[in-house]
């Protein structure tokens, strides 16, 4: 799972014990085509006030997100124990971020009595260290909140597309196997090019999974994504064929499961008949 994390940042909060703020924000960082930041509540949030440290991954300025924007994210948040890494506290999860649901994390990240213990290891010289690892699983809709300078600084040009360092190998392999894949791709906007390529990478990764691991929703989303990136100009006949094969295999599995269930019910009925003892007069 570690290779799914495209970005890893360490957030050091200095003079933590003397902070008066109810909430603290990290600097923004970039994953995919979107800005993110961390939000910590030193004294807790919601039902965890005065009980636990609360920690969240969040999209800043959600009101600026365009309509239809969605991102499927996997993340791991770690409050580092500076005496022993084995004692560090982690939250590992994945979920969808929307314009109206732009924050995920844990209200109960770490109990305050454990967190604030001077001998507990979470406060070292008054500092708290939090590590966030974030990866992009699926992209829906475009994002226009990313500044051009940030995108250039964070990415590498591969065949005319700006990609993250962690994506270079995957993109190179994609163009090696299908050299004409983007020959009809005409979009000039850097952000849109990145968004469509990320969608394509997520789609290829999804279809590499075993069909029995894919739900009907997964296949429906895959079909929508394929239609979208194909209309943008990618040549994806090979991927369309793959999707049809996966769908056919999935259907055969469902039919076999139904057949097995029917046979199981028939055997159960036969067993009950065997238990009937005829009444002799």
């Amino acid at each position: 799972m570690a290779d799914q994390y495209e970005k890893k940042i360490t957030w050091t909060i200095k003079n933590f014990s003397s902070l008066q703020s109810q909430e603290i924000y990290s600097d923004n960082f970039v994953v995919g085509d979107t800005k993110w930041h961390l939000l910590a509540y030193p004294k807790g949030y919601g039902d965890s006030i005065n009980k636990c440290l609360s920690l969240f991954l969040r999209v800043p300025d959600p009101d600026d997100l365009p309509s239809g924007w969605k991102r499927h994210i996997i993340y791991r948040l770690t409050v580092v124990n500076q005496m022993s890494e084995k004692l560090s506290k982690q939250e590992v999860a994945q979920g969808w971020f929307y314009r109206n649901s732009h924050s995920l994390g844990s209200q109960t990240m770490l109990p305050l009595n454990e967190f604030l213990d001077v001998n507990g290891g979470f406060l070292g010289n008054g500092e708290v260290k939090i590590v966030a690892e974030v990866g992009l699983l699926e992209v829906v809709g475009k994002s226009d909140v990313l500044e051009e300078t940030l995108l250039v600084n964070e990415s590498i040009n591969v065949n005319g597309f700006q990609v993250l360092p962690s994506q270079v190998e995957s993109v190179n392999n994609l163009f090696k196997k299908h050299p004409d894949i983007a020959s009809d791709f005409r979009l000039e906007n850097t952000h849109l090019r990145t968004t469509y390529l990320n969608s394509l990478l997520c789609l290829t990764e999804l279809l590499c999974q075993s069909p029995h691991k894919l739900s009907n929703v997964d296949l429906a989303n895959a079909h929508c994504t394929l239609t979208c990136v194909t209309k943008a100009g990618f040549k994806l006949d090979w991927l369309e064929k793959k999707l049809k094969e996966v769908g056919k295999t999935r259907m055969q599995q469902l039919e076999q499961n139904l057949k097995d269930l029917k046979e199981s019910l028939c055997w159960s009925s036969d067993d009950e008949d065997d238990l009937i003892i005829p009444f002799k007069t």
Side-chain angles (χ1 to χ4, degrees):
M1 184 177 288
D3 58 353
Q4 296 189 54
Y5 298 118
E6 299 173 18
K7 188 79 172 183
K8 179 178 180 179
I9 66 120
T10 299
W11 180 26
T12 301
I13 307 174
K14 298 182 178 181
N15 302 317
F16 186 87
S17 299
S18 62
L19 293 175
Q20 300 299 317
S21 301
Q22 298 297 315
E23 54 188 49
I24 312 169
Y25 296 89
S26 73
D27 292 334
N28 291 341
F29 56 92
V30 177
V31 180
D33 62 351
T34 305
K35 297 178 186 178
W36 308 83
H37 63 202
L38 299 177
L39 169 60
Y41 291 86
K43 296 182 179 179
Y45 176 81
D47 294 336
S48 297
I49 291 180
N50 296 323
K51 297 177 182 178
C52 297
L53 169 72
S54 300
L55 182 62
F56 301 92
L57 173 67
R58 186 177 182 274
V59 180
D61 303 318
D63 291 339
D64 294 338
L65 295 173
S67 177
W69 181 95
K70 291 196 300 183
R71 296 294 181 270
H72 190 196
I73 296 295
I74 184 172
Y75 64 88
R76 176 164 59 194
L77 305 179
T78 305
V79 183
V80 179
N81 188 296
Q82 299 172 53
M83 293 177 61
S84 173
E85 289 190 6
K86 294 181 180 179
L87 299 177
S88 298
K89 297 294 184 179
Q90 289 189 342
E91 161 84 356
V92 181
Q94 60 178 281
W96 282 95
F97 285 76
Y98 304 82
R99 184 174 182 177
N100 295 325
S101 180
H102 51 270
S103 179
L104 289 176
S106 175
Q107 289 188 15
T108 58
M109 188 70 190
L110 184 60
L112 290 181
N113 58 353
E114 184 178 349
F115 178 49
L116 300 177
D117 184 351
V118 293
N119 298 315
F122 292 101
L123 285 171
N125 296 321
E127 295 183 352
V128 173
K129 290 185 178 180
I130 296 173
V131 174
E133 297 164 272
V134 184
L136 184 65
L137 297 179
E138 192 170 351
V139 172
V140 178
K142 69 183 185 70
S143 176
D144 53 13
V145 300
L146 183 63
E147 296 178 7
E148 183 73 24
T149 53
L150 282 175
L151 180 60
V152 171
N153 290 337
E154 292 286 340
S155 60
I156 297 172
N157 188 298
V158 178
N159 287 73
F161 291 86
Q162 297 294 330
V163 303
L164 295 171
S166 61
Q167 297 174 312
V168 171
E169 183 177 357
S170 297
V171 176
N172 278 331
N173 288 337
L174 188 63
F175 278 94
K176 184 178 180 180
K177 293 179 180 178
H178 309 281
D180 65 340
I181 189 174
S183 58
D184 293 336
F185 194 82
R186 295 291 181 261
L187 289 176
E188 299 294 336
N189 184 280
T190 303
H191 303 211
L192 290 179
R193 292 175 67 87
T194 299
T195 298
Y196 278 110
L197 182 61
N198 283 335
S199 296
L200 177 56
L201 292 175
C202 291
L203 181 59
T204 56
E205 181 179 343
L206 178 70
L207 294 182
C208 285
Q209 297 182 32
S210 176
H212 77 270
K213 294 183 179 180
L214 301 177
S215 67
N216 293 338
V217 174
D218 291 330
L219 293 178
N221 286 337
H223 179 76
C224 290
T225 301
L226 178 62
T227 301
C228 181
V229 294
T230 300
K231 287 183 177 179
F234 282 112
K235 293 183 176 181
L236 301 174
D237 292 346
W238 53 277
L239 199 56
E240 182 178 1
K241 180 180 178 182
K242 175 68 174 178
L243 179 56
K244 289 180 179 179
E245 291 174 351
V246 171
K248 182 179 180 180
T249 302
R250 175 65 175 160
M251 184 61 65
Q252 290 173 343
Q253 289 176 342
L254 292 175
E255 290 174 351
Q256 184 61 48
N257 291 341
L258 180 59
K259 181 180 178 181
D260 293 343
L261 178 59
K262 289 181 178 179
E263 291 179 353
S264 171
L265 292 175
C266 288
W267 278 108
S268 176
S269 177
D270 291 341
D271 291 342
E272 290 178 0
D273 291 341
D274 291 342
L275 294 176
I276 298 175
I277 302 174
F279 179 78
K280 294 184 179 180
T281 57

